[in-house]
Amino acid sequence: MPWCSIAARAVCFPFIERINADGGYQGPKAAKAAARTGKWTIEIVERSAKAIGFEVLPKRWIVERTFAWISRFRRMARDFERYATTVAAFIRLAMIRIMLRRLTKPCLSS
């Protein structure tokens, strides 16, 4: 949906309320874009002041895990695509395949 406005995306994804982001999205440009939807808020996930060395940030592991799942697909392992819309389409296809595999997995608890 790269051709849709931010307000149109808010209508398409009514279940999104909060966007977790790292410090790179702290500026006014990202906050203004989220505010235009009228529903989304940006929550900056920061390291604690007491952290020494590497520390897993809260909620960040969800994004990292999703990127790892997507990168398992050969086409997504490298960035060879010319257009961003092509990349977005292949990410969508990869996520559809991941979700279909989960939905069709036989239930083992029965």
Side-chain angles (χ1 to χ4, degrees), residues 9-101:
R9 290 180 190 184
V11 173
C12 293
F13 304 105
F15 48 88
I16 296 177
E17 297 173 1
R18 181 181 46 211
I19 299 170
N20 293 316
D22 63 2
Y25 296 95
Q26 254 177 323
K29 192 173 181 180
K32 189 176 175 183
R36 275 188 286 181
T37 65
K39 294 162 71 170
W40 297 349
T41 58
I42 294 183
E43 181 179 312
I44 305 299
V45 180
E46 298 178 352
R47 281 180 59 153
S48 68
K50 297 182 263 181
I52 298 173
F54 177 77
E55 178 183 303
V56 177
L57 299 176
K59 302 289 183 184
R60 179 69 181 250
W61 65 273
I62 298 169
V63 176
E64 298 295 335
R65 180 191 62 202
T66 306
F67 286 157
W69 288 341
I70 291 171
S71 67
R72 286 186 193 155
F73 291 89
R74 188 177 60 161
R75 183 100 185 216
M76 306 287 9
R78 298 275 183 250
D79 187 19
F80 293 125
E81 305 303 330
R82 181 177 223 167
Y83 301 108
T85 54
T86 307
V87 175
F90 279 111
I91 289 173
R92 181 171 286 191
L93 287 172
M95 290 307 297
I96 287 170
R97 184 172 176 184
I98 290 167
M99 294 309 297
L100 282 174
R101 191 176 294 156

